Amino acid sequence: MKTLLNSALFISLTILALSCKSNKSIELFNGQDLDNWNIIVSTEDVEPSELFYVEDGLLNTIGVPFGYIRTKESYSNYKLHLEWRWIGEPSNSGVLINVQGEDLIFPHCVECQLKNSNAGDIVLMGKGAGITIRDSFYTVTSEENRYLVIPKFEESSEYPAGQWNSYDITSLDGEIEVMVNGVLQNSGIDMTPSEGNIALQSEGSPIQFRNINLQPL
């Protein structure tokens, strides 16, 4: 009996330990360096370290030229939290999730839009990307027309330039939920791709990011 109780206790503790481990938040940006990211730039005229850099604990991009910063690790089934603000005239950027394949300037992925007043839109990029939203199925069928925008549910819930905004993006077994400053702006099922890298875009003007964390689910 004592042996059985000890075995049961060991199993319970093991399950608890695994649960705690799987629920541990992953800090994608440590506020100090970009060692766990790769930077992709659309031109050789600008050094990657000039396009994306760390200053005062914040991740900055100058916005020009186009490019993005992509995690070295790939992820599936997670809740991603990040915060962003425009430090000048707002323009365009995006949070790319489930990035796959080669480092194209606009890679195969699902984008959660950061274009000013359009945060919460979902953009499918690359042939085969697809999603079902409100009983309608959307998919990219060719590389010649490799972008498809699905508008957000509500009016813009973004704050004015200079103020911090929050994105909470859940990707779980092909389902997605997109929250902008606590407002549900999009959700869908049957999403592809459903796993891959996380990336942040340089696409127009200076923008800052902070508190970039991923919670495994």
Side-chain angles (χ1 to χ4, degrees), residues 97 110-113 118-122 131 133 152-153 157 166-171 175-188 191:
I97 67 169
V110 175
E111 176 187 358
C112 295
Q113 182 66 270
N118 291 274
D121 288 1
I122 288 177
I131 194 169
I133 295 179
K152 61 187 184 301
F153 293 163
S157 53
S166 66
Y167 236 150
D168 289 286
I169 302 164
T170 302
S171 174
E175 299 184 7
I176 186 173
E177 181 182 86
V178 179
M179 306 281 290
V180 179
N181 293 325
V183 176
L184 178 64
Q185 288 288 12
N186 234 316
S187 65
M191 174 179 61

Side-chain angles (χ1 to χ4, degrees), residues 35-195:
D35 290 349
N36 60 326
W37 299 78
N38 290 318
I39 299 173
I40 292 83
V41 187
S42 59
T43 174
E44 296 181 355
D45 295 335
V46 174
E47 290 294 324
S49 59
E50 296 175 5
L51 186 61
F52 286 92
Y53 61 94
V54 180
E55 186 173 84
D56 297 328
L58 304 176
L59 172 54
N60 294 261
T61 180
I62 57 177
V64 179
F66 286 1
Y68 58 93
I69 188 168
R70 176 176 178 171
T71 60
K72 294 180 179 179
E73 296 294 326
S74 178
Y75 302 97
S76 63
N77 295 339
Y78 55 83
K79 180 176 181 180
L80 174 67
H81 172 85
L82 62 85
E83 297 164 18
W84 84 93
R85 70 176 177 185
W86 300 102
I87 56 175
E89 184 70 23
S91 60
N92 204 352
S93 182
V95 179
L96 312 183
I97 67 169
N98 306 330
V99 182
Q100 296 187 357
E102 59 185 302
D103 289 325
L104 303 173
I105 292 302
F106 297 98
H108 182 49
C109 67
V110 175
E111 176 187 358
C112 295
Q113 182 66 270
L114 281 180
K115 183 179 180 181
N116 185 45
S117 299
N118 291 274
D121 288 1
I122 288 177
V123 184
L124 305 176
M125 290 191 195
K127 183 179 179 180
I131 194 169
T132 298
I133 295 179
R134 291 181 169 175
D135 298 324
S136 295
F137 179 66
Y138 304 87
T139 188
V140 178
T141 58
S142 73
E143 283 298 315
E144 288 71 26
N145 298 287
R146 65 189 312 271
Y147 311 104
L148 181 59
V149 180
I150 303 107
K152 61 187 184 301
F153 293 163
E154 310 292 343
E155 293 296 317
S156 175
S157 53
E158 299 163 56
Y159 301 139
Q163 296 185 29
W164 286 102
N165 298 272
S166 66
Y167 236 150
D168 289 286
I169 302 164
T170 302
S171 174
L172 179 63
D173 295 330
E175 299 184 7
I176 186 173
E177 181 182 86
V178 179
M179 306 281 290
V180 179
N181 293 325
V183 176
L184 178 64
Q185 288 288 12
N186 234 316
S187 65
I189 60 174
D190 305 323
M191 174 179 61
T192 56
S194 59
E195 61 180 304

Side-chain angles (χ1 to χ4, degrees), residues 1-10:
M1 177 65 72
K2 184 177 180 181
T3 301
L4 290 174
L5 288 173
N6 287 339
S7 297
L9 179 60
F10 174 77

